[in-house]
Each structure stands twice: as structure tokens, then as C-alpha cells.
Amino acid sequence: MGWSSGRNIAMLGLVGAGITLMLGLSWAPSVSISAFKAPEAQRIFYWHVPSAWAAMIAFTMLFVGSTFWFFKRSEWAWRLHVASSEAGLATGLMCVFSGCVWGAAEWGVPWDWTDIRLNTFAILTLLSMYLVLGRKSQPDGVETRDTFSAFGMYGFVLVPVTYIATRLWQIRHPGPVVATSEGSLNSDMSIVLFLGAISFTVLIIGFIIEGVKLTKLEMRLEELQSEFEERLHE
């Protein structure tokens, strides 16, 4: 595959995500007025749910990269850790922002600090932010990588907690409507939702592929810079 394959895949996913948002806002039917206080605001659901799905993929890849670096010292795993933390931050922020928009319309407040699912997902997003900013502010080295990888591994426990939270402790966040006996999506809504899920999956895959390549180039550039500085001091 060419050097730009990750970028092309990401662009394809981004186009699909844009089409999903357009269809969600203009074509897909809204939910029953009796089900929500702000049924029209529910249309952001077609962006919110797929972005959450993509973030979960990124957090899972972050766990894989962190684990293989910590125990195997694999360079590809560290690059996967870096790319996945950035992907998790991007999609996590998309999900949190869209959720706040819906919450402000539906609940009257953008956030509910008593809702477990909201808070565990926010912690995952903040973890990605910490890993991204921390890596940029600390010199690269085995100890630094081990520290960040440990956070990537242990933070993964929040992924299954977030997934099952509304099944066990539904407070404000709506319960699952897909792949459950209580699902309430009609065919038009399902089409848009699944288009969004596929688009965001393609987007996150392309994002991570390109991120891995860019991280490799970045690491090589740092090596060349270090060699150049060493020669200057000889």
C-alpha cells in the first residue's frame, strides 16, 4: 500500500461521517415526541454513537499497543500506542461534545456528574489527552514509555465498565437500542446509524494507520537530529 494509504482511508471515513451527519440532520426520522423532551436534538445521535464506537476501538488499540510495548519492547507497539492515544482523544472529544449538545437540549444541562457512563467515558478521553500531551512534554525513553504504557493498560478497564454502565446503572444516559430486545430503531434510523458506524470505523482505522507512519517518521527525525547534534560537539 502506498505511503498515503492511511490518509486515503481516513478521508474516505471522514466523507462517510459527513454524509451520516447530513442524513441524520435532514433525512432520518426523529424519535417519538413522547420519548424525549427534545426529539429534534436526538438527531445528533447519528454522530454521537458512531464516534463513541470509534473511540472504543481506539482505546482497545491503545491497550494492545501499551501491552506489547510494556512486555515485549516492540517498536511497532509503541507507535500503535501513540497513534491510538491521538485517535482516542479526537473521537472521544467528538463524542463528549455531541453528547453535551444533546444533554443541554434534553436535560437542560450539558453534563450529569452522577451518571457513571458519562464519567467513565470522560475519564477515558482525559486519559488519552494526558498521554498525548505528556508524550509531547517528556523526553522519549524507556522509562517514559513504560509509564505511559502502564496508564494505557490499566485505563482499559474503563472500556467494559463504560459499555455495560447503562445496563447496570442507567441514570440519565439512555440505555442501548442496538442489538437488544428493547431496541427501538426503525429501518431508516438503522441505515443512517450503521452508515455512521462503518464510516467512523474506516476513519479510525485510517487515522491509526497514518498515525503509526507519522510516529515512525517523527522518531527517525529525532534520531537524525540527535546524531547531528552529537557530531557538532565532536
Side-chain angles (χ1 to χ4, degrees), residues 90-206:
T91 50
L93 289 176
M94 288 183 194
C95 179
V96 170
F97 176 76
S98 57
C100 287
V101 170
W102 183 81
E106 179 66 23
W107 305 331
V109 292
W111 199 265
D112 185 347
W113 294 105
T114 67
D115 193 291
I116 294 176
R117 182 165 191 165
L118 296 181
N119 294 317
T120 55
F121 189 89
I123 292 172
L124 282 168
T125 303
L126 289 173
L127 172 63
S128 293
M129 182 179 293
Y130 165 75
L131 295 176
V132 171
L133 297 180
R135 186 183 69 86
K136 294 182 180 299
S137 63
Q138 298 295 322
D140 189 23
V142 173
E143 292 184 357
T144 300
R145 293 184 181 188
D146 284 350
T147 300
F148 292 146
S149 293
F151 277 102
M153 287 189 297
Y154 291 120
F156 181 75
V157 70
L158 291 175
V159 170
V161 171
T162 301
Y163 179 75
I164 67 174
T166 52
R167 290 170 169 82
L168 300 179
W169 311 288
Q170 185 173 344
I171 299 174
R172 283 211 186 192
H173 194 286
V177 295
V178 180
T180 64
S181 59
E182 294 81 12
S184 58
L185 296 180
N186 66 32
S187 59
D188 291 342
M189 297 172 75
S190 297
I191 290 172
V192 180
L193 180 62
F194 287 127
L195 172 62
I198 293 171
S199 298
F200 270 86
T201 299
V202 172
L203 173 62
I204 206 68
I205 290 173

Side-chain angles (χ1 to χ4, degrees), residues 10-71:
M11 287 301 297
L12 179 63
L14 188 60
V15 170
I19 295 174
T20 299
L21 182 61
M22 180 184 68
L23 292 177
L25 294 176
S26 62
W27 179 74
S30 182
V31 295
S32 171
I33 295 178
S34 62
F36 292 94
K37 294 180 180 178
E40 286 300 317
Q42 179 270 344
R43 291 180 180 277
I44 207 168
F45 163 88
Y46 301 105
W47 181 275
H48 177 72
V49 174
S51 62
W53 164 253
M56 290 300 186
I57 295 175
F59 297 143
T60 301
M61 293 298 99
L62 173 62
F63 172 76
V64 172
S66 299
T67 302
F68 274 88
W69 164 259
F70 196 88
F71 291 106

Side-chain angles (χ1 to χ4, degrees), residues 2-10 83 86 203-217:
W3 69 271
S4 62
S5 58
R7 185 184 304 175
N8 292 337
I9 293 171
E86 294 174 348
L203 173 62
I204 206 68
I205 290 173
F207 194 116
I208 292 175
I209 291 174
E210 193 66 14
V212 167
K213 293 179 179 179
L214 290 175
T215 302
K216 184 177 181 179
L217 291 174

